[in-house]
């Protein structure tokens, strides 16, 4: 008998003897109770290691090849052995980044040693189980094919298809948590700035799954606008959690620099781009908090709950103004905003983004841009991802047609060009791109408003 199968049957037997403790679905894979078995366990040729997609299977079965060949997660650990990582480590006084938790926590499936089974190795980087959960308890029913999605999740598979859970998972590494966080010190040592948008990054991760009719029967899959909106709200929650976390939020008496707009300090002085923003209310020459996700949550709420949107704007203005008063004032203002947006993620999740609403969201994204809300590079970058997401969802829903799609594409290319290099970014060029997007969709929007 094939060794892998013997192992599987062993696990099957084991799990029927041992009373499996049901994990709370939202526990991130890194912190769950289950043993992690390693990529080899998932990548058997009869499981997820097929060279080509299986013809008669709705699950592709070649996930491991896609991941290994194309997915950056598979090389995340190797990255820690490269020149840039060694430079960062040297600047921080870290001897070997491939052995240090500071780096491994995001660049590998760094579960505690007691949770690593025989075939487990850190060298595999961000593995299947780093996203799908330690397989100890779900592998049995999963291989035997006796459980549906619900049973798999109850046995500890992480609900990656659900946008809230997925946002928390991805952001745990693409933003940070209370246990792993990139400070300005680590950025200063040379770590790249992190940027993330849930719907866009879900689409850019090389797909090892296919969302077709069969998939939709087995699992729920939210449209791009909802995924995007939830991603923004969860990102704001994570930011406010960090701003109110005494372990992460200070640098001396001031807030950690990592919460600020990087390019407020880091762009060439010959590239003059400061513009007043009413929603911030700060004078020239003052670094501003990076509020890109907050601005985009205001876009979402301007459609979902305009009254709440207004309160977020007011609280955010106070947050901006408190940042110069010091860490305590910032903490208090962040706490207030956190209370204001309590429950907003669930509210968005319950909201159905109909065709008319998608148009409204796109319209709001454009109007915020024309009112100067994307002056910061990071906000412009987020807005570009956001407009891209909404446009794709509208295309999928058949709301944009032939000639319009072409025009929108040309205008989107202008937007991507305007945010291509952060140091060269000019808000006025970005506004021009937004105007072109507006012109391209105007006719369709008028039709869908009727
Ligand atoms: C355990 C940490 C971890 C988790 C969880 C995680 N990522 Fe990543 N991700 C990384 C690291 C580290 C890199 C950079 C790898 C490298 O290039 O060495 C990365 C890179 C990426 C990239 C490539 C970015 C680029 O610039 O090309 C995409 C896309 C991505 N992740 C999407 C996602 C999505 C979507 C999720 C959630 C479903 C997710 N990631 C979850 C750690 C993680
Ligand atoms: C909070 C999670 C997190 C921590 C902690 C972290 N990284 Fe990263 N790192 C990432 C993510 C995510 C990316 C990919 C960024 C992107 O492309 O969007 C990345 C990218 C990188 C890159 C650039 C990779 C490339 O090919 O462009 C290097 C180098 C790197 N990290 C080294 C380190 C080192 C060294 C440490 C420890 C000092 C470390 N990282 C700690 C999340 C993290
Ligand atoms: C960075 C996170 C990440 C990593 C790493 C990852 N996946 Fe996934 N995987 C996802 C997401 C997101 C989905 C889509 C949501 C879903 O169906 O759960 C998914 C979906 C799947 C599906 C469901 C296909 C279907 O039709 O239902 C399978 C099977 C799968 N992954 C296997 C693997 C295997 C095997 C590996 C390792 C070789 C792996 N994944 C690595 C995030 C990840
Ligand atoms: C309030 C101003 C300010 C903000 C905001 C800020 N930084 Fe810095 N940054 C500095 C200063 C000051 C240094 C040290 C420069 C020096 O010593 O030459 C620095 C250093 C750096 C360096 C190292 C540069 C080098 O020459 O090696 C990087 C990279 C960096 N920051 C990235 C970031 C990122 C990413 C952000 C946003 C998350 C950010 N910074 C936000 C002021 C800032």
């Amino acid at each position: 008998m094939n060794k892998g199968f013997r192992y599987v049957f062993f696990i099957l037997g084991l799990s029927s003897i041992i009373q499996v403790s049901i994990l709370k679905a939202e526990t991130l894979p890194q912190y769950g109770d289950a043993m992690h078995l390693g990529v080899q366990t998932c990548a058997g040729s009869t499981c997820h290691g097929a060279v080509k997609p299986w013809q008669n299977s709705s699950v592709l079965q070649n996930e491991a090849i896609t991941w290994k060949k194309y997915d950056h997660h598979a090389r995340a650990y190797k990255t820690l052995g490269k020149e840039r990582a060694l430079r960062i480590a040297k600047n921080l006084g870290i001897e070997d980044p491939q052995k240090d938790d500071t780096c491994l926590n995001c660049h590998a499936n760094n579960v505690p040693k007691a949770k690593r089974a025989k075939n487990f190795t850190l060298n595999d980087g961000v593995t299947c189980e780093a996203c799908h959960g330690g397989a100890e308890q779900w592998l049995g029913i999963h291989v035997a094919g006796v459980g549906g999605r619900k049973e798999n999740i109850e046995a500890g598979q992480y609900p990656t298809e659900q946008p809230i859970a997925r946002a928390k998972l991805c952001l745990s590494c693409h933003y940070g948590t209370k246990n792993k966080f990139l400070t300005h010190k680590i950025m200063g040592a040379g770590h790249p700035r992190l940027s993330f948008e849930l719907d866009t990054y879900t689409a850019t991760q090389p797909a090892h799954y296919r969302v077709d009719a069969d998939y939709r029967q087995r699992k729920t899959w939210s449209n791009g606008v909802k995924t995007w909106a939830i991603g923004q709200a969860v990102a704001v929650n994570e930011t406010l959690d960090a701003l109110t976390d005494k372990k992460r939020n200070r640098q001396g008496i001031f807030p950690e620099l990592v919460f600020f707009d990087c390019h407020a300090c880091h762009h060439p002085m010959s590239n003059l781009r400061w513009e007043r923003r009413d929603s911030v209310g700060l004078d020239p020459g003052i670094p501003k908090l990076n509020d890109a996700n907050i601005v985009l949550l205001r876009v979402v709420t301007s459609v979902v709950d305009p009254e709440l949107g207004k309160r977020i704007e007011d609280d955010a203005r106070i947050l901006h103004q408190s940042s110069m008063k010091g860490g305590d004032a910032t903490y208090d203002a962040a706490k207030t905003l956190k209370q204001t947006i309590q429950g907003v993620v669930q509210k968005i999740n319950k909201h159905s983004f109909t065709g008319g609403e998608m148009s409204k969201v796109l319209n709001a994204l454009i109007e915020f841009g024309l009112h100067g809300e994307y002056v910061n590079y990071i906000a412009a970058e987020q807005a570009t991802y956001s407009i891209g997401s909404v446009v794709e969802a509208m295309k999928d829903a058949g709301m944009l047609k032939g000639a319009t799609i072409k025009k929108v594409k040309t205008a989107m290319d202008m937007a991507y060009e305007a945010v291509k290099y952060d140091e060269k970014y000019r808000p006025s060029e970005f506004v021009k791109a937004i105007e072109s997007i507006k012109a391209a969709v105007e006719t369709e929007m008028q039709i869908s408003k009727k």
Side-chain angles (χ1 to χ4, degrees), residues 125-340:
V126 178
T127 57
C128 321
E129 288 169 294
C131 289
H132 293 293
E136 180 184 28
Q137 285 153 7
W138 54 256
L139 189 67
I141 50 171
H142 173 70
V143 173
V146 292
R149 186 61 178 146
K150 185 167 160 276
E151 287 73 20
N152 282 322
I153 289 174
E154 275 168 6
Q157 233 177 44
Y158 192 80
T160 29
E161 76 276 28
Q162 296 170 16
I164 301 176
R166 183 159 81 243
K168 287 183 182 159
L169 169 70
C170 310
L171 284 167
S172 72
C173 296
H174 286 268
Y175 181 73
T177 65
K178 62 180 189 306
N179 304 309
K180 43 182 179 179
F181 198 59
L182 289 170
T183 55
H184 185 255
K185 181 171 158 187
I186 301 180
M187 301 288 184
H191 196 283
R193 178 178 66 87
L194 296 185
S195 117
F196 187 78
E197 191 279 293
L198 183 61
D199 190 55
T200 309
Y201 272 58
T202 296
T204 23
Q205 184 192 0
H208 55 276
Y209 54 92
R210 195 162 40 206
V211 182
D212 52 16
D214 174 86
Y215 182 102
R216 287 171 198 274
Q217 267 199 339
R218 292 181 285 115
K219 294 175 173 175
T220 49
W221 188 258
S222 299
N223 82 30
V225 178
K226 185 184 264 190
T227 303
W228 160 77
I230 287 175
Q232 293 299 335
V234 175
V236 174
N237 270 335
E238 297 297 331
T239 307
L240 295 174
D241 279 353
L243 272 167
T244 51
D245 176 1
K246 295 207 157 119
K247 263 174 46 204
R248 284 185 281 171
N249 66 1
R250 303 295 166 96
Q251 206 161 1
I253 56 164
F254 282 101
E256 227 308 330
L257 283 185
V258 81
F259 296 113
F260 286 85
D261 170 26
C262 315
H263 307 94
C265 300
H266 294 289
H267 76 78
M269 281 185 259
S270 56
N271 178 0
L272 299 178
R273 60 202 204 190
W274 193 90
E275 281 174 31
R276 187 171 298 280
R277 266 176 66 201
D278 292 338
S279 64
V280 172
L282 290 175
D283 285 331
I286 296 172
K288 285 188 252 0
L289 290 169
N290 165 19
D291 65 347
N293 297 122
I294 298 177
V295 170
L296 289 153
L297 181 60
R298 281 173 47 213
V299 171
V300 176
T301 46
S302 75
V303 174
V304 173
D305 183 347
E307 197 269 326
L308 176 63
K310 195 78 196 81
R311 279 193 286 146
I312 296 175
E313 181 181 345
D314 292 342
D315 285 358
R317 191 181 295 108
I318 295 171
L319 178 64
H320 277 297
Q321 298 189 344
S322 56
S323 69
M324 280 297 107
K325 296 180 188 144
D328 288 342
T330 309
Y331 173 91
D332 290 342
K335 200 134 201 169
T336 305
L337 180 53
K338 202 169 150 177
Q339 272 156 10
T340 301

Side-chain angles (χ1 to χ4, degrees), residues 99-110:
K99 292 206 174 81
D100 199 291
D101 285 345
T102 317
C103 310
L104 290 172
N105 273 337
C106 295
H107 284 261
N109 184 21
N110 195 29

